[in-house]
Amino acid sequence: MTPTVTPYRSGLRVGRDGFVQSLHAEWTKFRTVLGWVTGVVVAALMVVLFALLAGVSSDQKGSPPVPIGPGGEPVTDSFYFVHQPLAGNGSITVSVSALRSRIPKRPGDLRPGIVPWAKAGIVIKESTRQGSPYAAIMVTSSHGVRMQDSYVNDTAGLPGPVSAGSVRRLRLDRSGDAVTGYASADGTHWTKVGTVHVRGLGPTAQGGLFVASPPSADGMGTRGSVSTAVFGDLRTQGRWAGGNWTGDQVGPESPSFSGYPKNTSGSFTEAGSDGSFTVTGAGDIAPAVRDTLPTGGTLGEILTGTFAALIVVIVVGALFITTEYRKNLIHVTLAAGPRRSRVLVAKAMVLGGVTFVAGLAGAVVAVPLGERLARANGVYIFPVASSTELRVELGIAALLATASVLALSVGAIFRHSAGAVTTVIVAIVLPYILIAIPFIPASVSNWLARVTPGAAFAVQQTLVQYHQVASNYTPYYGYYPLAPWAGFAVLAGYAVASLAVAALLLRRRDA
């Protein structure tokens, strides 16, 4: 059904009153065409329906639980730990003369390689429970000495790799909840790396040596690695147990979940009474990232219905203008005189406003509902603050609204719905499909997520990139190269530019 369009009478003001009347006329057209109204309602329902399907179809109850850190964030806490109890205050000092890593080239074939964030050092930890508070100082394969605590905090110390000719000496001092880390290249001159306050260490903590070897990210996923460190001159002060050192695997016992390649495991050997140890371990002590967890999801995965909703609003947006060309009503609509661009702006405001409201309604229902169903089915959803959740919901609504305006503008340029719909779908949806393919090179994926209108999908981003964790930080895993609103701005720029071209053509071409 096509609405009746009343020509603007001569003498009607083309200022504010005229624009308001244009808005009213375009709103009347939109709400009186059942197909257009149904389209935006269906788009909102698509967002909700796919969230329901994502939650109901998820079933990972057999996966190990995700450790939670002191701040409530998901963490990776799996390493080999040679430890004793420390009652109250005390210190531990050790030298590290070697840190070597091995990476599987193929199943069962471990070969020497570089794992940049392989770690070997000393740690004071509340217990061997995953997610318990800690502070540690360590050497790494490629990032020098680091002091880390609470999984997300990282402080740089002495640079350079460790070797027999470049030994690093490390020390941790505990005083109450304050833990101070020191490093030295010669054992005489010590450099303070940092002091951290670790809440929850308790009156008796576990302290000692550790080795962790994070999975190696190769662009197609991750491969387990294993690292071995040589320690010497281990000394302690304070109320340590004073007995034998105990070696334990912190984290899941299953080798695959602990991070060990096939047919390997953690171990330690004590070379004598001089405090020399060789320790082998895998895993990591770090914030969790998307591709290293055996289970887990994001709000973006719950909102996959945005893809289907986009196609619907693109079709509605194109038809909102091309229908007038097809039925030869465009000349009546543009009868307002030389200010024809205001008609296009009025159409954009009506279409964008209606789509935004519908998209927001769908997202507000879909997000909590999808989260609840996914968690009920054993899927861990990366937690976000309420403000981030609101930003995602507003971002989805803005994405749908701006895409509809882009379709309207391209429809005015092409004057044919098929060409307009195809062009906008290729511009927005095709990049979305491509970046969702895991084997697309990271450079290509990140480029598509920067310069194409598909960059707007960054509004779904809720994950954090950590410099101290090597991972596949690509859109496939939920990490976008642009900040959420910066990504949306790319789509908005395309929409504004297209709207300007369409307005110019309306003045020059459509008499």
Side-chain angles (χ1 to χ4, degrees):
M1 176 176 133
T2 302
T4 301
V5 181
T6 303
Y8 293 102
R9 293 173 295 179
S10 60
L12 181 66
R13 290 172 57 192
V14 296
R16 183 182 173 206
D17 292 341
F19 183 71
V20 169
Q21 189 157 348
S22 294
L23 276 175
H24 183 267
E26 296 305 325
W27 163 242
T28 300
K29 292 178 190 177
F30 189 91
R31 66 182 177 83
T32 54
V33 178
L34 181 61
W36 298 344
V37 175
T38 302
V40 294
V41 172
V42 167
L45 292 176
M46 286 287 188
V47 177
V48 177
L49 176 61
F50 276 74
L52 287 172
L53 293 174
V56 171
S57 63
S58 301
D59 186 3
Q60 301 182 28
K61 293 182 179 179
S63 299
V66 177
I68 304 300
E73 68 286 335
V75 301
T76 301
D77 197 10
S78 176
F79 60 97
Y80 198 81
F81 192 17
V82 181
H83 60 98
Q84 286 186 10
L86 168 61
N89 300 333
S91 68
I92 178 171
T93 305
V94 76
S95 64
V96 187
S97 58
L99 176 58
R100 297 180 291 269
S101 300
R102 290 176 293 157
I103 303 172
K105 298 299 180 183
R106 53 181 178 269
D109 182 14
L110 287 174
R111 298 184 183 182
I114 299 297
V115 179
W117 282 102
K119 303 169 182 178
I122 47 181
V123 58
I124 296 176
K125 188 172 168 65
E126 181 265 334
S127 68
T128 57
R129 174 183 61 84
Q130 283 190 295
S132 59
Y134 77 96
I137 191 165
M138 67 204 73
V139 299
T140 63
S141 290
S142 302
H143 300 281
V145 172
R146 318 293 291 200
M147 183 170 182
Q148 298 181 349
D149 70 284
S150 301
Y151 302 92
V152 297
N153 301 320
D154 171 71
T155 303
L158 297 176
V162 64
S163 67
S166 181
V167 177
R168 291 289 181 265
R169 292 161 177 84
L170 309 172
R171 185 170 82 232
L172 278 183
D173 291 340
R174 179 192 177 182
S175 178
D177 69 352
V179 179
T180 303
Y182 299 89
S184 172
D186 57 12
T188 301
H189 302 90
W190 290 86
T191 300
K192 178 180 175 180
V193 180
T195 297
V196 298
H197 292 271
V198 185
R199 298 179 182 273
L201 276 181
T204 300
Q206 295 293 320
L209 313 176
F210 81 97
V211 172
S213 190
S216 176
D218 61 3
M220 296 292 292
T222 56
R223 296 175 295 164
S225 68
V226 62
S227 295
T228 299
V230 177
F231 297 93
D233 194 24
L234 176 61
R235 293 174 291 167
T236 60
Q237 290 184 342
R239 297 172 58 190
W240 292 81
N244 294 329
W245 292 90
T246 300
D248 284 316
Q249 172 63 41
V250 174
E253 294 300 325
S254 169
S256 61
F257 289 139
S258 299
Y260 290 95
K262 188 177 181 180
N263 299 325
T264 62
S265 61
S267 64
F268 86 101
T269 57
E270 188 171 359
S273 59
D274 61 349
S276 297
F277 293 81
T278 300
V279 182
T280 297
D284 202 3
I285 316 175
V289 292
R290 181 65 183 85
D291 65 332
T292 60
L293 290 183
T295 179
T298 65
L299 293 189
E301 292 167 34
I302 289 173
L303 292 167
T304 53
T306 305
F307 173 82
L310 260 177
I311 296 176
V312 176
V313 300
I314 288 170
V315 172
V316 172
L319 288 176
F320 192 34
I321 184 71
T322 58
T323 296
E324 299 199 35
Y325 283 105
R326 182 165 52 87
K327 293 186 176 291
N328 203 28
L329 293 171
I330 191 67
H331 304 303
V332 178
T333 298
L334 300 179
R339 287 271 187 89
R340 295 172 181 174
S341 58
R342 68 177 182 174
V343 175
L344 188 62
V345 172
K347 280 182 176 291
M349 291 180 65
V350 169
L351 177 65
V354 172
T355 308
F356 181 87
V357 171
L360 182 60
V364 166
V365 174
V367 168
L369 189 59
E371 281 185 294
R372 191 174 299 113
L373 287 172
R375 288 180 175 133
N377 282 278
V379 178
Y380 180 81
I381 301 297
F382 277 78
V384 298
S386 56
S387 57
T388 301
E389 191 169 294
L390 177 60
R391 186 261 296 162
V392 171
E393 293 164 351
L394 291 170
I396 292 301
L399 167 60
L400 294 175
T402 308
S404 70
V405 172
L406 177 59
L408 170 79
S409 304
V410 175
I413 294 170
F414 285 9
R415 297 187 290 186
H416 296 286
S417 57
V421 169
T422 301
T423 299
V424 179
I425 286 179
V426 169
I428 301 179
V429 178
L430 182 59
Y432 177 87
I433 295 174
L434 291 176
I435 65 178
I437 299 174
F439 52 80
I440 289 290
S443 58
V444 175
S445 182
N446 285 324
W447 179 84
L448 289 171
R450 283 181 182 276
V451 303
T452 70
F457 283 100
V459 298
Q460 300 184 56
Q461 181 167 240
T462 58
L463 301 178
V464 178
Q465 297 186 28
Y466 295 95
H467 70 270
Q468 72 270 33
V469 181
S471 184
N472 292 304
Y473 292 123
T474 65
Y476 174 77
Y477 290 101
Y479 300 93
Y480 288 82
L482 296 178
W485 293 118
F488 169 74
V490 174
L491 173 62
Y494 279 97
V496 170
S498 298
L499 196 64
V501 172
L504 180 64
L505 291 176
L506 281 179
R507 288 198 302 267
R508 294 184 176 182
R509 181 189 64 190
D510 300 313

